[in-house]
Amino acid sequence: MTGGARHPELRAALMSAVAEKAPKVDRDRIAACYDFTASAHGDQKRESGQPYVSHSVEVCRILLDLLESRLDTTLVCAALLHDVVEDTGITLEQVEKQFGREVASLVEGVTKLSRVHFERREAQEAENFRRMLLSMSRDLRVIFIKLADRLHNMRTLEYLRPDKAKRIAEETRDIYAPLAHRLGMAGIKREMEDLALKVLDPGAYAELAGSIQIKRSEREAFLEQVGELLREGLRASGLKAEVIGRPKHFFSIYHKLQDGRTLDQIYDLFGLRILTHSRNDCYRALGVVHDLFTPVAERFKDYIATPKSNLYQSLHTTVLTENGEMVEVQIRTWEMHRIAETGVAAHYLYKQGGTVDEELDQRLGGFVTQIAGWQRETDDDEYMDFLRTALHQEELFVYTPRRELKRLAKGSTPLDFAFLIHSEVGQRTVGARVNGELVPLRHELRNGDMVEIITSPQAQPHEDWLKLVRTTHAKAKIRHWLRQRRLDDSVALGTEMLDRELKRLRIKPTPEALLEIAKGLGCEDLATLHARLAEGSVSIGQVTHKFEPRKDTFAERLVKGPLEALGVGRKPAGGVLIQGIGNVMVQFARCCQPVPGDPIVGIVTIGRGVSVHRQDCPNTFGHRVPAERRVTVDWDARPTERFPVRLALQGSDRAGLLADVAKVIQNLGVNIRTAGMQSEDHTVRGVFVVEVPHIAKLREVIDAIRRLPGVQRVERRQRTPRSDGERGDAEDV
Ligand code: MN
């Protein structure tokens, strides 16, 4: 990074913005980070024609506006570097070496897995959101960077191709703006939504901007009058408070118009806001407002006593003026105002390094814990479903019989309420009373309802319940319960089946011996073995015959005889059972390399016994193999047997990667038969052949490699039919 900084004007702009707003940060470090970033992006340009690094600088400026003096050096560095790993040849390891672990892990949290291959775009998007939100649950700074990044991209959307701009605008409207809203960052949310609307419905946007301009000039004098009356009233009662107008938000007005309302019916189009210095003054100011004007009773809301779950606090009241016009007035302290605009960012403290403590999570309605919880309990489609629902829910407040206030999603039913109280209560629900009246479980709750749940020890959840609940919390609990019960049922049945058979055969195995057999059959533990026995994917015979030495049956001798006579068997039978009989010449296909636990199929080959393939191996597909040559085979491996598997790996080129991979494999007690690596353009590709006893072990190996820094993907390599010079199994078939 010698020979003068790139784009010195951008560097100067960044440094002066930092000096002005966040004087406490380490400016030398930030300057060094700027130089590193500018040099990494080199001559890359944004679609606007600006140098790429201008985007990184703008992201920092947005963060400066958001956090001001609370912005820390780590966050500025990570914001500058946020695109370096995704868009340049720099690796995370290099970032870590230069700027430390903390900066690197923030950059990792915002970097998309764009180079990993996914079957469907939805799966890739879900995985990216999952990763991002998991990082966010550990460190809020990840989401600050991501939202600032997206906001600047939205500000420069006009330079993109229309279809791409539209896709980004939709994603912003559907996920990022709601996420900003959920975290209480109203300023960012408003701007994102208005920018999205401008792209997604330009006609409506222009029309709205025009008609709001007209409305405003009509209402301006009137609002000024009301404001002046309020100011006088507040002064007269000795209150120090300011009365101001409210910023307009096109998207929310657009939304209300879409609901069929007209501009005249939207009376909070231009409202007033009173800002005070204490919570007490808010209520005193409310008294002043209601003294001067007649309040509309059902429009009053006290979000100070009951803050929204995005930390928002304010008093809302709508009043009627003398000539019958309605005006909405919001009352809050300056501090509440700051929180209403920046949400969790207002709570961010550098000393906590962006972690969300229990208290903040509780104030957010448990949002962060929820997000971390779905990581375990959902597949990709469910995850996006949960995320969308959680982000778009409006709130509803109801009471317990003891008058405790509970927060639910709009549209919730008594069942949602029951699961909110406790999972045990939810699972045992048989009925509910709302305001003293018995209601069906699908009954939609309303604000202020008092809900009482009727339970029975015999009750239990049912599939249909999924249709009766609205909250992601209840849905997740019910799904979990149903899944668990299915598993419990299978385990109980499988245990009984196996015990009965072992008793009949007078076999008393030790738990350790049974566990070894389970693993040989591709089950990670005994419960899994029992469940598989119940489902029928593992047969009882596969387990019991391990305990009794068997004699060849007549049929077996018949099958084995001719093959041995031909002298073609390479390996005595082992590893599988063929159609219930043991000891036939088998070989394991080299194209797909099956491992105990994989679903398999046997193909009778000419002169070489039976070739065992994975069921999804293309070499076994119908057009390649006639049905009469297929035989059913089951796994029957001894724990000591080892099976070769080819693994393909891709990662960033860094020193010691090969050694690290070899080390983690060996640490798992797995032998490496061959290994090789090649690198090109900062990317390294490798192929390993490892020898494993069963699929559970193979999964451990793959997971361990995947966790190594720099590894982008690792997978089992399927050899395509006749794809290389080696004599493949296509010939054996
Ligand atoms: Mn970016």
Side-chain angles (χ1 to χ4, degrees):
M1 263 77 12
T2 49
R6 279 170 189 265
H7 312 297
E9 71 293 348
L10 291 171
R11 188 184 200 263
L14 170 71
M15 295 316 292
S16 77
V18 167
E20 184 201 329
K21 288 199 168 159
K24 277 181 286 186
V25 296
D26 180 345
R27 265 172 269 174
D28 289 343
R29 198 141 165 264
I30 288 171
C33 188
Y34 171 87
D35 292 338
F36 181 92
T37 305
S39 135
H41 285 294
D43 294 327
Q44 286 176 351
K45 290 225 181 337
R46 298 275 290 176
E47 294 289 341
S48 62
Q50 294 277 316
Y52 198 97
V53 71
S54 68
H55 165 66
S56 320
V57 170
E58 283 308 317
V59 169
C60 287
R61 291 167 84 110
I62 291 170
L63 291 173
L64 274 167
D65 288 337
L66 184 69
L67 294 160
E68 301 190 312
S69 62
R70 287 169 305 126
L71 192 64
D72 58 272
T73 311
T74 304
L75 182 48
V76 183
C77 288
L80 281 171
L81 293 161
H82 80 271
D83 275 329
V84 152
V85 174
E86 200 168 307
D87 295 332
T88 80
I90 303 286
T91 62
L92 263 184
E93 291 71 39
Q94 283 168 289
V95 170
E96 181 171 348
K97 218 171 129 197
Q98 291 270 344
F99 302 101
R101 179 76 215 125
E102 219 182 337
V103 170
S105 84
L106 289 177
V107 172
E108 188 180 12
V110 296
T111 299
K112 279 194 201 148
L113 293 163
S114 53
R115 272 173 278 188
V116 177
H117 172 75
F118 284 93
E119 293 289 318
R120 300 177 303 140
R121 212 184 79 196
E122 292 80 15
Q124 168 161 11
E125 282 169 1
E127 187 55 29
N128 280 326
F129 279 117
R130 202 191 275 260
R131 269 168 42 98
M132 176 183 90
L133 291 171
L134 184 63
S135 312
M136 178 198 94
S137 70
R138 296 190 191 120
D139 193 331
L140 276 177
R141 290 177 291 186
V142 167
I143 211 66
F144 297 159
I145 298 173
K146 202 70 203 185
L147 290 175
D149 173 43
R150 180 50 66 105
L151 182 58
H152 183 247
N153 287 338
M154 288 298 290
R155 285 178 182 169
T156 52
L157 218 48
E158 60 196 292
Y159 301 105
L160 294 190
R161 261 192 0 239
D163 58 323
K164 208 174 167 197
K166 188 165 167 271
R167 195 167 54 75
I168 293 180
E170 276 171 354
E171 192 184 51
T172 304
R173 178 197 61 194
D174 295 343
I175 306 230
Y176 286 99
L179 187 59
H181 174 67
R182 186 66 190 78
L183 297 170
M185 297 154 89
I188 287 181
K189 174 221 173 195
R190 255 197 323 268
E191 191 179 344
M192 280 182 168
E193 283 182 337
D194 285 351
L195 289 167
L197 179 62
K198 215 167 161 180
V199 170
L200 295 173
D201 198 345
Y205 183 86
E207 205 187 307
L208 204 53
S211 44
I212 287 175
Q213 198 54 49
I214 296 167
K215 271 263 162 230
R216 174 194 284 274
S217 50
E218 285 171 16
R219 290 265 285 182
E220 204 142 52
F222 162 72
L223 277 179
E224 196 38 55
Q225 250 180 345
V226 176
E228 205 37 58
L229 280 172
L230 287 176
R231 273 181 211 108
E232 271 170 35
L234 291 163
R235 245 195 319 268
S237 40
L239 272 166
K240 263 197 198 151
E242 258 181 73
V243 180
I244 56 172
R246 295 209 320 256
K248 58 185 178 299
H249 178 205
F250 291 115
F251 185 78
S252 69
I253 299 169
Y254 174 79
H255 223 66
K256 287 174 182 162
L257 294 178
Q258 298 268 305
D259 274 357
R261 277 189 267 179
T262 66
L263 271 188
D264 290 311
Q265 290 165 320
I266 305 175
Y267 34 82
D268 55 357
L269 193 54
F270 306 103
L272 291 170
R273 192 170 277 159
I274 300 174
L275 295 163
T276 73
H277 290 279
S278 74
R279 186 184 161 116
N280 234 334
D281 284 357
C282 290
Y283 291 98
R284 289 175 62 202
L286 180 71
V288 172
V289 176
H290 287 179
D291 261 359
L292 287 167
F293 304 101
T294 315
V296 182
E298 67 271 23
R299 299 278 309 169
F300 172 71
K301 286 192 189 103
D302 183 350
Y303 294 119
I304 291 181
T306 313
K308 291 193 187 185
S309 63
N310 66 358
L311 313 174
Y312 179 88
Q313 288 189 290
S314 257
L315 299 174
H316 289 190
T317 184
T318 301
V319 294
L320 276 172
T321 60
E322 270 176 3
N323 50 10
E325 287 208 62
M326 291 211 255
V327 182
E328 198 200 44
V329 183
Q330 299 178 348
I331 308 166
R332 55 174 83 149
T333 65
W334 282 101
E335 173 65 6
M336 291 172 192
H337 183 53
R338 194 171 69 91
I339 295 173
E341 287 295 304
T342 61
V344 291
H347 284 261
Y348 169 67
L349 292 171
Y350 177 48
K351 59 176 170 17
Q352 293 182 350
T355 51
V356 180
D357 58 29
E358 221 182 292
E359 194 223 321
L360 179 56
D361 186 40
Q362 255 187 16
R363 293 172 67 176
L364 288 168
F367 183 60
V368 176
T369 322
Q370 253 184 34
I371 276 183
W374 305 335
Q375 301 293 332
R376 280 170 273 118
E377 292 174 9
T378 56
D379 63 30
D380 290 340
D381 290 332
E382 269 174 23
Y383 188 79
M384 289 314 281
D385 183 28
F386 276 21
L387 183 59
R388 290 213 171 84
T389 323
L391 291 178
H392 288 93
Q393 274 166 349
E394 278 183 67
E395 291 183 322
L396 168 77
F397 296 96
V398 295
Y399 294 94
T400 68
R402 280 189 232 145
R403 299 304 289 175
E404 280 172 276
L405 192 66
K406 293 284 170 187
R407 191 175 7 226
L408 280 166
K410 213 169 171 182
S412 287
T413 63
L415 213 43
D416 287 295
F417 177 84
F419 276 97
L420 180 71
I421 301 296
H422 200 280
S423 308
E424 287 284 317
V425 176
Q427 285 161 21
R428 307 267 172 255
T429 300
V430 285
R433 274 192 204 94
V434 169
N435 305 324
E437 306 257 342
L438 270 173
V439 295
L441 286 181
R442 63 170 184 280
H443 177 87
E444 200 171 296
L445 298 176
R446 279 184 301 190
N447 260 319
D449 277 348
M450 199 267 281
V451 191
E452 190 184 344
I453 297 298
I454 306 164
T455 59
S456 150
Q458 281 83 41
Q460 52 182 28
H462 189 274
E463 291 278 351
D464 289 351
W465 282 18
L466 290 170
K467 291 184 215 129
L468 298 182
V469 295
R470 180 66 208 273
T471 54
T472 50
H473 175 77
K475 223 175 251 184
K477 291 287 172 209
I478 295 169
R479 280 209 177 111
H480 182 77
W481 193 92
L482 291 170
R483 215 171 296 171
Q484 193 57 44
R485 187 188 53 186
R486 266 195 296 274
L487 186 66
D488 289 348
D489 287 354
S490 310
V491 170
L493 177 62
T495 309
E496 197 192 316
M497 283 162 59
L498 184 61
D499 286 353
R500 204 187 303 142
E501 187 64 7
L502 289 172
K503 208 171 276 167
R504 195 180 67 78
L505 297 168
R506 294 166 209 272
I507 303 169
K508 282 191 193 131
T510 63
E512 294 76 32
L514 260 185
L515 185 63
E516 263 316 296
I517 289 168
K519 288 196 169 157
L521 292 165
C523 307
E524 55 264 29
D525 52 30
L526 280 181
T528 311
L529 174 67
H530 290 140
R532 298 251 171 93
L533 286 169
E535 292 156 10
S537 58
V538 169
S539 73
I540 297 266
Q542 279 173 273
V543 180
T544 55
H545 97 277
K546 296 275 158 86
F547 297 103
E548 36 173 352
R550 285 168 43 118
K551 293 184 192 80
D552 283 357
T553 61
F554 180 65
E556 282 166 338
R557 284 201 300 277
L558 262 188
V559 176
K560 202 162 71 168
L563 288 166
E564 269 172 354
L566 287 167
V568 289
R570 265 177 270 168
K571 182 182 171 201
V576 291
L577 284 174
I578 299 171
Q579 283 184 326
I581 42 175
N583 291 341
V584 175
M585 292 304 134
V586 291
Q587 52 182 321
F588 293 95
R590 276 169 298 164
C591 48
C592 54
Q593 299 183 311
V595 173
D598 280 328
I600 44 174
V601 61
I603 308 291
V604 179
T605 65
I606 298 157
R608 273 194 296 271
V610 172
S611 177
V612 176
H613 292 256
R614 273 155 67 186
Q615 277 175 10
D616 59 1
C617 175
N619 282 330
T620 71
F621 290 173
H623 62 285
R624 291 179 193 275
V625 184
E628 65 271 17
R629 283 171 54 196
R630 286 167 184 279
V631 289
T632 305
V633 288
D634 292 318
W635 283 110
D636 184 30
R638 278 181 290 275
T640 49
E641 269 182 283
R642 294 291 178 269
F643 296 79
V645 177
R646 202 160 30 239
L647 294 177
L649 175 145
Q650 187 185 310
S652 50
D653 193 4
R654 67 166 174 91
L657 183 59
L658 178 61
D660 286 350
V661 173
K663 200 160 79 195
V664 295
I665 296 176
Q666 271 152 5
N667 285 347
L668 287 166
V670 170
N671 188 34
I672 302 173
R673 193 188 276 184
T674 59
M677 279 212 181
Q678 274 181 332
S679 73
E680 191 186 331
D681 290 343
H682 307 287
T683 299
V684 56
R685 281 169 227 280
V687 174
F688 290 80
V689 177
V690 295
E691 295 178 320
V692 292
H694 42 66
I695 196 149
K697 197 73 187 180
L698 179 63
R699 286 196 193 117
E700 280 176 40
V701 170
I702 291 176
D703 285 347
I705 298 175
R706 203 170 268 158
R707 276 196 299 269
L708 284 172
V711 170
Q712 286 148 358
R713 77 176 179 196
V714 54
E715 61 194 12
R716 244 171 122 169
R717 168 76 70 80
Q718 165 79 45
R719 200 165 281 190
T720 48
R722 296 171 210 270
S723 65
D724 54 21
E726 194 187 327
R727 196 176 53 100
D729 283 270
E731 291 168 58
D732 296 339
V733 167

Coordinates of all heavy atoms in Angstrom, one line a residue, residues 46 52 55-56 59 79 82-83 87 145 149-150 152-153, ligand 1:
R46 N -18.2 1.1 -9.5 CA -19.6 0.9 -9.3 C -20.3 1.1 -10.7 O -19.7 1.7 -11.6 CB -20.1 1.9 -8.3 CG -19.5 1.7 -6.9 CD -20.2 0.7 -6.1 NE -21.5 1.1 -5.7 CZ -22.4 0.3 -5.0 NH1 -22.0 -1.0 -4.7 NH2 -23.6 0.7 -4.7
Y52 N -15.0 1.9 -6.8 CA -15.8 1.0 -6.0 C -15.7 1.4 -4.5 O -16.6 1.3 -3.7 CB -15.3 -0.5 -6.1 CG -16.3 -1.4 -5.6 CD1 -17.2 -2.1 -6.4 CD2 -16.4 -1.6 -4.2 CE1 -18.2 -2.9 -5.9 CE2 -17.3 -2.5 -3.6 CZ -18.2 -3.1 -4.5 OH -19.2 -3.9 -4.0
H55 N -18.2 3.4 -2.4 CA -19.3 2.7 -1.8 C -19.0 2.3 -0.3 O -19.8 2.6 0.6 CB -19.7 1.4 -2.6 CG -20.6 0.4 -1.9 ND1 -21.9 0.7 -1.5 CD2 -20.3 -0.8 -1.4 CE1 -22.4 -0.4 -0.9 NE2 -21.5 -1.3 -0.8
S56 N -17.8 1.8 -0.1 CA -17.3 1.5 1.2 C -17.3 2.7 2.1 O -17.8 2.7 3.3 CB -15.9 0.9 1.2 OG -15.8 0.0 0.1
V59 N -20.9 3.7 3.0 CA -21.5 2.8 4.1 C -21.0 3.3 5.4 O -21.8 3.4 6.4 CB -21.1 1.3 3.8 CG1 -21.4 0.5 5.0 CG2 -21.8 0.8 2.5
A79 N -16.8 -2.1 8.1 CA -17.7 -1.5 7.1 C -16.8 -1.2 5.9 O -17.3 -1.4 4.7 CB -18.3 -0.2 7.7
H82 N -16.2 -4.5 4.0 CA -17.3 -5.4 3.9 C -17.4 -6.2 2.6 O -18.0 -7.3 2.5 CB -18.7 -4.8 4.3 CG -19.3 -4.0 3.2 ND1 -19.0 -2.7 3.0 CD2 -20.1 -4.3 2.2 CE1 -19.7 -2.2 1.9 NE2 -20.4 -3.2 1.4
D83 N -17.0 -5.6 1.5 CA -17.1 -6.2 0.2 C -15.8 -6.9 -0.3 O -15.7 -7.4 -1.4 CB -17.6 -5.3 -0.9 CG -19.1 -5.1 -0.9 OD1 -19.8 -6.1 -0.6 OD2 -19.6 -4.1 -1.2
D87 N -15.8 -9.6 -3.2 CA -15.6 -9.1 -4.5 C -14.2 -8.9 -5.0 O -13.9 -8.5 -6.1 CB -16.3 -7.7 -4.7 CG -17.8 -7.9 -4.6 OD1 -18.3 -9.0 -4.9 OD2 -18.5 -6.9 -4.1
I145 N -24.0 -3.0 9.5 CA -23.2 -2.9 8.2 C -24.1 -3.3 7.1 O -24.2 -2.7 6.1 CB -22.0 -3.8 8.2 CG1 -21.0 -3.4 9.3 CG2 -21.3 -3.8 6.9 CD1 -19.8 -4.3 9.5
D149 N -25.1 -1.0 4.1 CA -24.7 -1.4 2.7 C -26.0 -1.4 1.8 O -25.9 -0.9 0.7 CB -24.2 -2.9 2.9 CG -23.9 -3.5 1.5 OD1 -23.3 -2.8 0.6 OD2 -24.2 -4.7 1.4
R150 N -27.1 -2.0 2.3 CA -28.3 -2.1 1.4 C -28.8 -0.7 1.2 O -29.3 -0.4 0.1 CB -29.3 -3.0 2.1 CG -30.6 -3.2 1.3 CD -30.4 -3.5 -0.1 NE -29.8 -4.8 -0.4 CZ -30.5 -5.9 -0.8 NH1 -31.8 -5.8 -1.0 NH2 -29.9 -7.0 -1.0
H152 N -27.2 2.2 1.0 CA -26.5 2.8 -0.1 C -26.7 2.2 -1.5 O -26.8 2.9 -2.5 CB -24.9 2.9 0.2 CG -24.2 3.6 -0.8 ND1 -23.3 3.0 -1.7 CD2 -24.2 4.9 -1.2 CE1 -22.8 4.0 -2.5 NE2 -23.4 5.1 -2.2
N153 N -26.9 0.9 -1.5 CA -27.2 0.3 -2.8 C -28.6 0.8 -3.3 O -28.8 1.0 -4.5 CB -27.2 -1.2 -2.7 CG -25.8 -1.8 -2.6 OD1 -24.8 -1.1 -3.0 ND2 -25.6 -3.0 -2.0
Ligands
MN1 MN -21.6 -3.5 -0.4

